[in-house]
Amino acid sequence: MFTLLVLIPVAGALIAWLIPSNVKRPWVMPVTACLHLALVVAIVAAPPLQSRNEWIDLDAIGKLFLLEVSALFAACAFYSVSYLHYRRERNNRVLCMGMQVCLAAMSLAAGVHHMGLLWLAIETTTLSMAPLVYFNRNARSIEATWKYMLICSVGIALALLGIFFLAYSTVVAGLPPSLLLEPLQGYAPRLPAGWLDAAFVFLLVGYGTKMGLAPLHTWKPDAYGEAPGLVGAMLAGGLANCGFIGLIRIYQICLSSGDVHFYRAALLGIGLLSLFTAAAFLVHQTDFKRMLAYSSVEHMGLFAVALGLGGKALYGAMLHLIGNGLAKGVLFLAAGNIHRAFASKNRDSARGTLRRAPWSGALFLAGFLAMTGSPPFLIFSSEYSFFVAAFTQGYPLVGWLLAVLLMVAFLGMAMTVLPVVFGEPPRNRERTKYRDTPLLVGPPLALLTILGVVGVWLPQPLYRLVNAAAALLEVAR
């Protein structure tokens, strides 16, 4: 069944490439999304089976990631039908194909337990999304694509070097060479500390670049700002989380070595640096799509801090994997609508959205509240667990820094979101042809509903899955 998770999007991409009509082609993605999501739900609901393949083993962490990314892709797929109708002047063949290739690569990354194949899957997501960042075919989008490709390629090359160090450490230790997760966890206490530390640093920098951890985040504002809303949603809620999965795998190996202080300190340091950077740039940010890029840096920093804290924060990190991805989907899809309604991303030009595009304005406001951890949305629960872990596990300074930085980030985002939603529509700008339609507001509304429901009531199967995912990281320790 796992093979089908990869093959269905690949088949969809080939069909999209062959269809000549710009109008009919986008409908391939909703079909692919429904098949993929149904298969993911069936796999998650089925009793876990012992895998006989050491390379492919869909554990609880992979299942959780697949649930999130498949739901997000489904929302983007249905949204794309109406969005691409508005963008009829652009050929959408590459976009329809690239989105589905990226879904296939992310599905592979979720179930791979071979560090080399995982690297290949993550690199495929990078390459498949690059042409989509350039969808608008202007000077800014080509600059954003260039930055995205250059910085992410450097990062992924450093990650490959880290994998080489990891493999070589087994040779130095006189152990059978392997890049499989389970054998490496068993070898970890006998691996030379220097080589293992070097592998961790290079993989942290490499996958941290993919996640957008500061100071490796510099591709994000341009790429998120210039990409279409549905592409930005997949970048923030899919690719960034994919990098986090890569980081989790090396984290599992390093914690099995027994000495965790260096790894935790590094994760806490880069996580807090990311939060500080995001908070600083969110203040007085006038471009609401670039604002979402810095919000993504903030939440990637929270992932790193959660891994650094360990314990109760690991449960929160697994919740945050779902919450961050779906909330980013709400915000980016709503932001794309607002951009179309005003033909501008600037808060001074795109004001009073509630009057011009009321559904999109309301979704943007609700998405902001969900993203910043306001109850009853899911991120409130995940961020609460970070504070509990910090103050009960001997990291009070980290807890206070989190509180201050998250408050600054909230205020910074509010200074951009509130004028866009509630301000007076500019009189000197002509009204565009954009109107809210069911396929443009339905998908983000569905994601927002999920965030609200699971924030109040976490279904028992999902609760067990989140606990199982967190337990995998505890067992590694």
Side-chain angles (χ1 to χ4, degrees), residues 169-442:
S169 68
T170 63
V171 177
V172 174
L175 299 166
S178 178
L179 284 176
L180 294 168
L181 179 63
E182 283 74 15
L184 284 171
Q185 284 183 277
Y187 295 163
R190 291 178 285 169
L191 296 179
W195 285 105
L196 186 58
D197 291 352
F200 174 80
V201 169
F202 275 89
L203 284 161
L204 174 60
V205 172
Y207 291 141
T209 304
K210 184 79 171 180
M211 293 170 65
L213 292 170
L216 317 162
H217 68 286
T218 49
W219 61 272
K220 272 192 169 183
D222 292 280
Y224 287 18
E226 298 306 319
L230 72 161
V231 176
M234 289 302 293
L235 286 170
L239 267 74
N241 284 356
C242 201
F244 180 55
I245 293 297
L247 185 59
I248 281 178
R249 297 311 185 193
I250 184 62
Y251 175 85
Q252 288 179 278
I253 295 167
C254 290
L255 291 190
S256 297
S257 68
D259 185 7
V260 301
H261 300 292
F262 170 73
Y263 312 118
R264 287 189 168 179
L267 287 163
L268 285 172
I270 199 168
L272 290 172
L273 176 62
S274 299
L275 283 160
F276 177 82
T277 303
F281 280 96
L282 281 169
V283 177
H284 298 301
Q285 183 60 244
T286 57
D287 185 318
F288 57 79
K289 289 184 78 175
R290 292 175 74 91
M291 173 200 74
L292 298 181
Y294 289 112
S295 173
S296 179
V297 175
E298 171 200 0
H299 286 270
M300 292 303 107
L302 284 174
F303 278 130
V305 168
L307 291 183
L309 290 172
K312 298 172 184 176
L314 298 175
Y315 173 82
M318 296 300 103
L319 279 182
H320 209 71
L321 188 67
I322 304 170
N324 173 67
L326 300 188
K328 282 295 191 299
V330 176
L331 282 169
F332 271 97
L333 298 184
N337 293 345
I338 296 169
H339 186 195
R340 296 270 72 78
F342 291 90
S344 174
K345 301 175 292 176
N346 191 286
R347 73 177 178 193
D348 298 323
S349 301
R351 301 171 70 90
T353 307
L354 280 178
R355 300 186 184 185
R356 186 166 293 187
W359 280 96
S360 296
L363 285 167
F364 196 58
L365 178 63
F368 154 69
L369 294 174
M371 194 76 257
T372 51
S374 304
F377 298 106
L378 182 61
I379 291 179
F380 172 79
S381 300
S382 61
E383 291 186 352
Y384 176 76
S385 73
F386 301 155
F387 285 109
V388 170
F391 285 111
T392 62
Q393 293 173 195
Y395 298 93
L397 179 59
V398 173
W400 286 113
L401 286 173
L402 279 179
V404 171
L405 293 172
L406 289 177
M407 178 65 72
V408 173
F410 174 86
L411 295 174
M413 289 185 71
M415 292 168 65
T416 301
V417 172
L418 297 183
V420 169
V421 175
F422 293 111
E424 185 71 24
R427 299 178 184 275
N428 59 344
R429 296 186 70 88
E430 291 185 13
R431 191 182 182 95
T432 67
K433 295 180 180 180
Y434 173 84
R435 299 292 183 274
D436 283 336
T437 63
L439 281 179
L440 289 173
V441 300

Side-chain angles (χ1 to χ4, degrees), residues 114-199:
H114 186 280
M115 299 298 288
L117 190 54
L118 175 62
W119 178 90
L120 181 62
I122 293 175
E123 173 66 355
T124 303
T125 64
T126 302
L127 296 175
S128 63
M129 293 299 277
L132 313 191
V133 177
Y134 183 54
F135 182 75
N136 288 316
R137 302 290 195 276
N138 55 37
R140 288 194 173 199
S141 62
I142 197 168
E143 179 186 355
T145 306
W146 180 80
K147 285 184 179 178
Y148 166 76
M149 281 298 296
L150 179 67
I151 297 171
C152 286
S153 295
V154 169
I156 210 72
L158 292 173
L160 181 61
L161 194 56
I163 291 171
F164 289 158
F165 286 165
L166 189 60
Y168 188 65
S169 68
T170 63
V171 177
V172 174
L175 299 166
S178 178
L179 284 176
L180 294 168
L181 179 63
E182 283 74 15
L184 284 171
Q185 284 183 277
Y187 295 163
R190 291 178 285 169
L191 296 179
W195 285 105
L196 186 58
D197 291 352

